[in-house]
Amino acid sequence: KNEADSFHNTRTAIREIETEVFKSWGDVKTYTPKETTSYENLVKLFYNEAAKGKMFPEGAMLDVRIIAYYEIPKSTNKKKRREMLEHRIRPTKKPDRKSTQEAGRDNIGKIVCDSLNLVSYHDDSAVVDAQVRKFYSETPRVDVMIKVVGPDQI
């Protein structure tokens, strides 16, 4: 039986993973900024609303499909805007951020999968197949579909 859950986040901004690393007296510590934690909680909330608290069975192999729809920059001309809406131009670079915060950020799949750990599935090692697609849209959002895959499916 293929079980599937899907949900979408209609928040206007798409947050990329934001984990900052600090070195303190030779020890390495990681810190997750408040905005990232807030986004992770938002992902959990949308999942729980859509799935009614359902969790995939332990040991299930999962396929996660994520489609991120990014806002079209306001300065975009009409021709380029049309090409973005027709998916002929797709997001290919990270959102503008300070260069010291760039490393490891452009991974919407990671933040969504990390957010759903112990919410949708028992451990993110259950995700055996995943795809992240990025597009532009007039309604920025993140759509997520998770389904169980059988051993005979490739």
Side-chain angles (χ1 to χ4, degrees):
K1 176 183 174 185
N2 268 359
E3 298 179 47
D5 281 328
S6 62
F7 67 100
H8 66 271
N9 172 353
T10 55
R11 185 173 174 162
T12 55
I14 296 173
R15 300 290 307 161
E16 299 289 351
I17 186 68
E18 297 177 7
T19 301
E20 297 179 17
V21 177
F22 295 94
K23 287 192 176 181
S24 170
W25 302 102
D27 294 328
V28 175
K29 298 179 182 180
T30 60
Y31 165 75
T32 304
K34 187 177 179 181
E35 285 183 344
T36 299
T37 302
S38 295
Y39 189 77
E40 289 173 348
N41 289 333
L42 190 63
V43 170
K44 291 174 189 178
L45 175 71
F46 277 102
Y47 176 81
N48 280 321
E49 285 178 3
K52 312 261 187 279
K54 174 186 161 196
M55 195 172 203
F56 285 94
E58 195 164 356
M61 295 185 296
L62 303 176
D63 179 359
V64 177
R65 302 295 164 141
I66 299 167
I67 305 175
Y69 294 93
Y70 288 78
E71 182 175 15
I72 297 171
K74 294 188 187 334
S75 61
T76 304
N77 66 44
K78 287 182 183 181
K79 180 182 178 213
K80 195 171 182 179
R81 179 181 194 79
R82 185 178 64 251
E83 290 174 336
M84 289 174 165
L85 290 171
E86 292 170 351
H87 306 305
R88 290 188 284 147
I89 297 176
R90 292 173 55 181
T92 58
K93 66 180 190 174
K94 302 171 191 173
D96 293 334
R97 303 208 196 284
K98 294 179 184 174
S99 60
T100 57
Q101 298 176 346
E102 287 284 333
R105 288 259 180 112
D106 193 26
N107 197 341
I108 193 76
K110 178 163 178 36
I111 197 168
V112 168
C113 288
D114 285 353
S115 300
L116 296 175
N117 204 23
L118 298 175
V119 175
S120 175
Y121 36 79
H122 297 274
D123 188 79
D124 57 8
S125 64
V127 178
V128 297
D129 197 1
Q131 180 184 51
V132 177
R133 303 180 77 198
K134 297 178 182 182
F135 299 97
Y136 286 106
S137 175
E138 291 178 340
T139 53
R141 65 192 183 281
V142 176
D143 293 342
V144 180
M145 188 186 81
I146 306 169
K147 67 179 182 176
V148 174
V149 294
D152 58 331
Q153 294 172 314
I154 298 177

